[in-house]
Amino acid sequence: SQQGEEDPQALSIQEGENATMNCSYKTSINNLQWYRQNSGRGLVHLILIRSNEREKHSGRLRVTLDTSKKSSSLLITASRAADTASYFCATPSSLYGQNFVFGPGTRLSVLP
Amino acid sequence: EAGVAQSPRYKIIEKRQSVAFWCNPISGHATLYWYQQILGQGPKLLIQFQNNGVVDDSQLPKDRFSAERLKGVDSTLKIQPAKLEDSAVYLCASSLDHPRQGTKNIQYFGAGTRLSVL
């Protein structure tokens, strides 16, 4: 069964707007990661948030984690055309899982 | 620091043929992963190595897929014989240490091999 699932599946915004995508997961975790994938390329790690953290920032990225709701959100502020990509959350397969499970992703299109 | 290297970038074969993919992880990374990514989906873990030992291969279709990591460095993934549904991008990733070791479990991905089975 799928551990993490992103929402929405697709998102289209204008350059300069903010983009928010969400990830819900099923079992308890000790950390959650977000990755970006540009078309035809491999995944790039964006940010890792631990279960004892509620919010984390990295440049224009803001990630929140609500362990009570088993959900996380990724906010990209002041989006740029270069942010067009698919975004995936990755969660351990179990609390101390030995591998990570990726959701189906959110496909973000930032229009100039 | 050199990234994860994969080859070839593209491969087109006919069904029932064999194919092999190669991956060279980042130097010093103990853990190596092979993922299958079907178009429009997230990556699905096929096999995970810790040095040259298999940690998880529960989702590897062992009747046709095989992988090895000799000497705990390079790895090859083989499909024999290929089926139409094997058409996908095969991603290799590596991480510095076992996922239980905190921040060391950030994965670094190669560009992938796009396989088309006709």
Side-chain angles (χ1 to χ4, degrees), chain A residues 11 13-20 60 75-79 108:
Chain A
L11 181 60
I13 60 173
Q14 295 292 133
E15 209 166 22
E17 293 181 338
N18 296 341
T20 300
R60 294 183 297 111
L75 168 67
I76 304 174
T77 60
S79 63
L108 174 65

Side-chain angles (χ1 to χ4, degrees), chain A residues 43-61:
Chain A
L43 281 74
V44 174
H45 179 264
L46 294 176
I47 201 163
L48 180 152
I49 187 165
R50 299 186 185 284
S51 58
N52 61 355
E53 297 175 312
R54 291 295 169 259
E55 188 172 309
K56 205 163 182 179
H57 296 256
S58 177
R60 294 183 297 111
L61 306 180

Side-chain angles (χ1 to χ4, degrees), chain B residues 34-50:
Chain B
W34 281 103
Y35 290 90
Q36 179 193 61
Q37 186 177 25
I38 293 173
L39 186 65
Q41 299 181 17
K44 182 184 89 170
L45 180 70
L46 292 175
I47 189 167
Q48 177 184 337
F49 292 95
Q50 173 82 1

Side-chain angles (χ1 to χ4, degrees), chain B residues 27-82:
Chain B
S27 178
H29 280 196
T31 307
L32 184 147
Y33 313 79
W34 281 103
Y35 290 90
Q36 179 193 61
Q37 186 177 25
I38 293 173
L39 186 65
Q41 299 181 17
K44 182 184 89 170
L45 180 70
L46 292 175
I47 189 167
Q48 177 184 337
F49 292 95
Q50 173 82 1
N51 296 309
N52 60 348
V54 176
V55 174
D56 185 345
D57 64 355
S58 58
Q59 298 191 90
L60 186 73
K62 298 180 185 63
D63 58 334
R64 299 184 300 107
F65 287 65
S66 64
E68 60 181 8
R69 190 183 184 195
L70 299 176
K71 301 181 181 178
V73 181
D74 293 10
S75 177
T76 56
L77 175 69
K78 298 179 181 178
I79 307 175
Q80 179 180 12

